[in-house]
Amino acid sequence: MRKGTLVKVLAAVLFEVVEHRVSIEVAFKRACKGRCAKSLEEREGLYEMARKLVSDYIKIICATGLKRPYSRIVRSWLKGVEESHLPEWCRLSYPKWFYFKLLNLLGDVETRELLKAMNERIYWLRINTLKSSPEEVLKELDEEGVDYVVDRDIYYMVRVKNSPKPVRLLKPVKEFKAIPQDKASAAVIEALKPEKGDTIIDMSFAPGMKTSLIEMITENGAKVVAVDLSYRRAIMGHYLLRRLGVDMSKVWIISADAADLLFRSKFDKVLLDAPCSNSGAIGKDPGLKTTITEGKISRYSSIQKRLLEKALSLGDEVVYSTCSLMPEEGELVLESFVRNVDLIRAIPWASNGYEIVDFNEDVMRLFPHRHLTEGFFIAKLRS
């Protein structure tokens, strides 16, 4: 690709991420339309370059003072950014407030390790035993030349260390025998411990990965009410569940605000994987660095408290989780509820919560630098 075209594509990606606040995947598709090479190898190389550019965006602004035009930002980045004089939050390329927030929670060394880890992407696959056996999937990964590690904590999880082709194009993935899903996401359902015969409500289910895992673990033996506020996402979730081998006679999908629903009887288990800032998923989508704000975290925290209050009225056993590194979306949400519930430490290999609360040893956090996962908060509450 000629340098002029390269600059245009990368500038278009940056424009889409910063101005339209879309994910790196969506931004790349839009920017590449009619411009990028058809060669898979070249296209994937360009994608990785775009991903690194977006991840470095805050650092570039710190070093150059440029905010527009995006083509000048790209050219400066391609030449190389002098970063030795920059403060740590700039070198790591994160918002200043975000860096200092974590610094106060984790300390200097661990904050640096965490943020460095989130500047890289970790790939996990969940073997879908509704479609295939672990042995068959691992054999197919071997045949495709994938370098992987079977997880020691969750037998159906596989970490992809290296792959000759994009993970989404691997044969088991295309056939839904293996599903791209982070280990932290699977840990949420491991904490829930679904069993055959359970009636479960998933209060924010779309796109359906956790609902499908509930059915996988119970061999389609649990009854699940799957709720999502977005009608479009609920419909997409329905089709995904079918493709993943879920018995749809066991799943009832509702498009509504879960906080407004009324039921005649309680559920055996309640899953609240709540809407959040997604600060723990920066490794997956570095564009989140440009959109996360303290105001957004505060708004989500209010939503989470309202949903958790409802969750505790729907069943005596609740798993609450967020893909967030912020205590306002984890420990501090629970502060209003812990006097009336028991907290159960359901994931023994997880880290404790932040020490800003006295119940930190009874809740769970997963971190990219410690567990090679997305950043997650998980709590199990029993009334």
Side-chain angles (χ1 to χ4, degrees):
M1 179 179 288
R2 292 184 305 171
K3 186 174 181 180
T5 305
L6 174 64
V7 170
K8 286 181 181 179
V9 171
L10 293 177
V13 170
L14 207 51
F15 172 82
E16 293 289 345
V17 168
V18 177
E19 302 292 341
H20 292 165
R21 302 193 167 198
V22 299
S23 69
I24 181 67
E25 286 85 1
V26 171
F28 187 73
K29 285 178 183 176
R30 291 180 182 177
C32 251
K33 194 172 182 180
R35 289 173 170 156
C36 296
K38 293 182 180 179
S39 161
L40 177 62
E41 185 177 354
E42 186 174 341
R43 190 180 178 91
E44 288 302 310
L46 182 58
Y47 174 80
E48 289 303 319
M49 186 179 288
R51 188 188 178 287
K52 179 62 175 169
L53 168 67
V54 171
S55 185
D56 283 349
Y57 176 64
I58 293 172
K59 178 169 68 176
I60 304 166
I61 292 175
C62 283
T64 66
L66 293 170
K67 289 191 177 181
R68 290 180 184 81
Y70 292 109
S71 57
R72 283 189 64 193
I73 294 174
V74 171
R75 288 191 182 94
S76 296
W77 180 74
L78 290 171
K79 289 178 183 177
V81 176
E82 172 54 47
E83 58 183 73
S84 59
H85 66 290
L86 298 177
E88 189 73 6
W89 61 273
C90 282
R91 281 200 299 272
L92 292 166
S93 197
Y94 286 87
K96 183 177 181 179
W97 69 267
F98 187 79
Y99 170 81
F100 281 102
K101 182 93 170 180
L102 290 171
L103 189 70
N104 289 331
L105 292 166
L106 295 170
D108 184 30
V109 174
E110 191 151 23
T111 296
R112 190 180 304 114
E113 290 177 356
L114 168 60
L115 297 182
K116 281 182 178 178
M118 287 203 298
N119 282 338
E120 303 297 330
R121 175 104 191 245
I122 299 168
Y123 290 92
W124 286 92
L125 289 175
R126 188 244 291 182
I127 296 172
N128 182 13
T129 57
L130 292 175
K131 287 280 190 178
S132 185
S133 68
E135 293 77 17
E136 181 183 347
V137 172
L138 295 179
K139 181 182 177 182
E140 291 186 0
L141 292 177
D142 286 333
E143 289 171 351
E144 295 212 54
V146 179
D147 184 10
Y148 63 84
V149 176
V150 178
D151 188 59
R152 65 182 181 182
D153 301 310
I154 306 177
Y155 78 92
Y156 51 80
M157 294 302 300
V158 175
R159 180 166 60 88
V160 177
K161 296 172 69 177
N162 191 37
S163 175
K165 64 174 72 170
V167 169
R168 69 181 185 279
L169 298 180
L170 294 171
K171 183 174 180 285
V173 175
K174 292 170 72 175
E175 295 177 351
F176 301 103
K177 296 176 184 177
I179 307 162
Q181 183 173 9
D182 194 78
K183 180 184 175 181
S185 174
V188 173
I189 306 305
E190 289 291 310
L192 187 69
K193 289 182 168 53
E195 298 176 343
K196 287 184 178 181
D198 280 345
T199 58
I200 299 170
I201 181 168
D202 186 345
M203 295 177 66
S204 183
F205 93 97
M209 293 299 188
K210 294 181 180 68
T211 300
S212 74
L213 183 50
I214 289 171
E215 294 297 356
M216 189 191 94
I217 289 173
T218 63
E219 299 177 322
N220 277 322
K223 295 178 180 179
V224 181
V225 175
V227 184
D228 202 87
L229 183 61
S230 166
Y231 177 78
R232 183 183 66 84
R233 281 168 55 84
I235 292 296
M236 291 172 63
H238 171 84
Y239 287 115
L240 179 61
L241 290 173
R242 287 180 60 185
R243 292 191 194 100
L244 296 179
V246 171
D247 180 354
M248 295 307 293
S249 71
K250 300 294 181 68
V251 179
W252 290 265
I253 294 178
I254 301 173
S255 176
D257 186 336
D260 295 334
L261 294 176
L262 298 174
F263 296 94
R264 292 181 180 178
S265 58
K266 285 191 172 185
F267 293 87
D268 295 315
K269 288 161 186 171
V270 179
L271 172 61
L272 174 56
D273 184 46
C276 70
S277 66
N278 278 327
S279 59
I282 287 173
K284 180 180 178 181
D285 183 8
L288 290 165
K289 293 182 184 184
T290 70
T291 60
I292 189 169
T293 64
E294 292 179 280
K296 178 183 282 189
I297 290 167
S298 179
R299 288 193 298 274
Y300 274 120
S301 182
S302 298
I303 293 169
Q304 291 150 8
K305 289 173 185 175
R306 182 172 68 95
L307 287 171
L308 184 53
E309 183 176 12
K310 180 66 175 183
L312 290 166
S313 74
L314 294 175
D316 295 332
E317 196 164 291
V318 176
V319 167
Y320 165 73
S321 64
T322 56
C323 183
S324 175
L325 296 166
M326 296 292 106
E328 290 85 354
E329 298 181 280
E331 292 85 351
L332 299 183
V333 169
L334 260 63
E335 273 193 317
S336 304
F337 303 97
V338 291
R339 295 182 188 88
N340 302 315
V341 299
D342 293 323
L343 292 174
I344 301 164
R345 189 172 175 79
I347 307 294
W349 48 269
S351 294
N352 294 338
Y354 295 130
E355 294 180 359
I356 57 172
V357 294
D358 57 11
F359 54 85
N360 69 299
E361 293 183 0
D362 299 318
V363 295
M364 298 151 281
R365 278 200 173 273
L366 301 180
F367 294 100
H369 66 300
R370 295 184 191 173
H371 307 101
L372 300 178
T373 67
E374 293 178 349
F376 254 79
F377 174 84
I378 306 172
K380 187 167 186 173
L381 302 83
R382 186 173 288 159
S383 301

